[in-house]
């Protein structure tokens, strides 16, 4: 009994001490931790989310320079409404990766292949796909397994298939005069 009381007192004392000193981090309701002066979220000492707002094409280059060092998984999901800038982002990302290939939207081809010094990059557009089976029929797993990076636009229909697999996600919101962008790592 006395040991339990001592443990409770120590925990309470620790809580009081921690509450008295301002932290450089704030814990959000969903468990993420926000660093005071940065747009980087840290979760269990791992990079989690970066947020940006851009209002011109040069802003994409700054976004890419910020996220490129953190691009460690071979899958990147791009989410955003029509005209949000998913293909524009892909164009600038491939330029940063050293690709000389022209970048087009894979809306009708479903998948485009690009060469970079680090390996093949596959760019998917799943907007017109009706089922996971249809996506598997195009051989998406083989592309993902054999490419340096697979960029997937409109990934919502396929996202459950990535359960337990580490990947990145970029959400792009067109606010009219600007783009709000959120880049994160999933299943680390």
């Amino acid at each position: 009994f006395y040991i339990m009381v001592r443990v409770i007192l120590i925990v309470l004392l620790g809580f009081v001490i921690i509450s008295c000193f301002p932290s450089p981090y704030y814990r959000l309701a969903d468990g993420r931790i926000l660093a005071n002066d940065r747009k980087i979220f840290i979760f269990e000492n791992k990079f989690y989310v970066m947020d940006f707002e851009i209002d011109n094409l040069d802003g994409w280059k700054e976004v890419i320079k910020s996220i490129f060092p953190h691009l460690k998984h071979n899958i990147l999901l791009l989410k955003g409404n029509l005209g949000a800038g998913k293909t524009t982002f892909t164009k600038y990302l491939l330029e940063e990766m050293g690709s000389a290939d022209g970048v087009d939207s894979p809306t009708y081809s479903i998948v485009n292949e690009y060469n970079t010094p680090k390996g093949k990059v596959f760019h998917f557009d799943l907007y017109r796909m009706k089922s996971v089976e249809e996506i598997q029929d195009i051989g998406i797993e083989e592309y993902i397994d054999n490419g340096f990076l697979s960029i997937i636009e409109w990934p919502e229909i396929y996202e459950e298939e990535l359960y337990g697999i580490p990947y990145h996600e970029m959400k792009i919101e067109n606010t009219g005069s600007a783009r709000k962008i959120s880049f994160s790592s999933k299943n680390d």
Side-chain angles (χ1 to χ4, degrees):
F1 176 76
Y2 290 111
I3 293 174
M4 190 163 62
V5 169
R6 290 177 92 182
V7 169
I8 291 171
L9 287 174
I10 290 170
V11 170
L12 289 174
L13 180 61
F15 179 73
V16 169
I17 290 171
I18 290 171
S19 299
C20 291
F21 295 101
S23 170
Y25 303 101
Y26 295 102
R27 182 169 299 279
L28 302 177
D30 63 2
R32 293 181 294 169
I33 300 173
L34 171 62
N36 271 356
D37 59 343
R38 303 168 73 191
K39 292 185 176 183
I40 297 176
F41 290 97
I42 301 166
F43 182 69
E44 297 179 352
N45 297 321
K46 293 182 185 176
F47 168 76
Y48 191 71
V49 174
M50 296 177 81
D51 293 316
F52 306 90
E53 188 164 335
I54 62 171
D55 59 5
N56 59 49
L57 289 176
D58 287 334
W60 282 117
K61 293 176 184 176
E62 293 304 314
V63 168
I64 289 165
K65 286 187 188 303
S66 295
I67 69 168
F68 192 70
H70 303 286
L71 199 58
K72 59 186 177 183
H73 306 308
N74 70 329
I75 301 170
L76 172 60
L77 307 185
L78 296 182
K79 296 180 176 182
N81 56 353
L82 286 171
K86 298 179 292 293
T87 300
T88 301
F89 164 79
T90 301
K91 174 187 173 208
Y92 286 120
L93 177 62
L94 285 165
E95 283 178 10
E96 181 71 19
M97 295 174 75
S99 177
D101 296 343
V103 175
D104 295 315
S105 175
T107 301
Y108 296 105
S109 61
I110 309 300
V111 62
N112 290 341
E113 180 179 317
Y114 305 105
N115 294 302
T116 73
K118 293 190 178 215
K120 299 261 185 220
V121 173
F122 300 107
H123 181 198
F124 297 88
D125 186 326
L126 304 183
Y127 183 74
R128 296 183 303 122
M129 298 285 110
K130 304 281 187 260
S131 68
V132 171
E133 292 76 24
E134 203 175 0
I135 296 166
Q136 290 170 337
D137 286 346
I138 66 168
I140 194 166
E141 290 91 358
E142 289 81 15
Y143 284 110
I144 290 172
D145 290 343
N146 294 301
F148 172 73
L149 179 64
S150 292
I151 301 168
I152 306 173
E153 295 187 23
W154 304 98
E156 291 80 3
I157 191 169
Y158 190 69
E159 205 164 355
E160 283 186 28
E161 301 301 308
L162 298 174
Y163 179 79
I165 299 171
Y167 64 90
H168 298 289
E169 177 181 273
M170 177 173 277
K171 294 179 182 176
I172 306 167
E173 179 187 351
N174 184 349
T175 63
S177 62
R179 303 283 193 276
K180 288 185 178 181
I181 301 153
S182 177
F183 175 81
S184 63
S185 296
K186 305 288 184 175
N187 298 326
D188 279 336

